[in-house]
Amino acid sequence: VIEATKAAEDEEEYQAVLQEEVMEHESLEEYILELEDEMMAASQALQFERAAELRDRIISLKEKLKGK
């Protein structure tokens, strides 16, 4: 069950990365705000690994925005 859950999370992560690659500037900014909310919720739920993953993705997306 744990492996199946991890596989589903990996697929979800992959799909999110693909989505990020094609986003326009404004929608990317909105997406970052959504990820920040999700990160805070994960942290409050004591899901610190998930919060850290989201933090890293947010940092990467913000760097991508600066490059556009």
Side-chain angles (χ1 to χ4, degrees), residues 18-66:
L18 287 179
Q19 179 183 1
E20 292 164 7
E21 291 298 320
V22 297
M23 284 187 177
E24 296 294 325
H25 183 82
E26 287 182 22
S27 62
L28 192 54
E29 288 178 335
E30 292 173 16
Y31 183 60
I32 290 170
L33 292 174
E34 291 174 17
L35 289 177
E36 288 173 339
D37 289 343
E38 188 177 339
M39 178 184 67
M40 295 301 288
S43 178
Q44 290 174 350
L46 306 179
Q47 297 175 346
F48 300 119
E49 289 182 20
R50 177 70 178 147
E53 291 170 358
L54 291 165
R55 178 204 60 215
D56 294 345
R57 188 185 310 164
I58 290 165
I59 290 169
S60 175
L61 290 172
K62 286 182 177 181
E63 289 173 356
K64 183 185 287 189
L65 273 178
K66 289 180 184 177

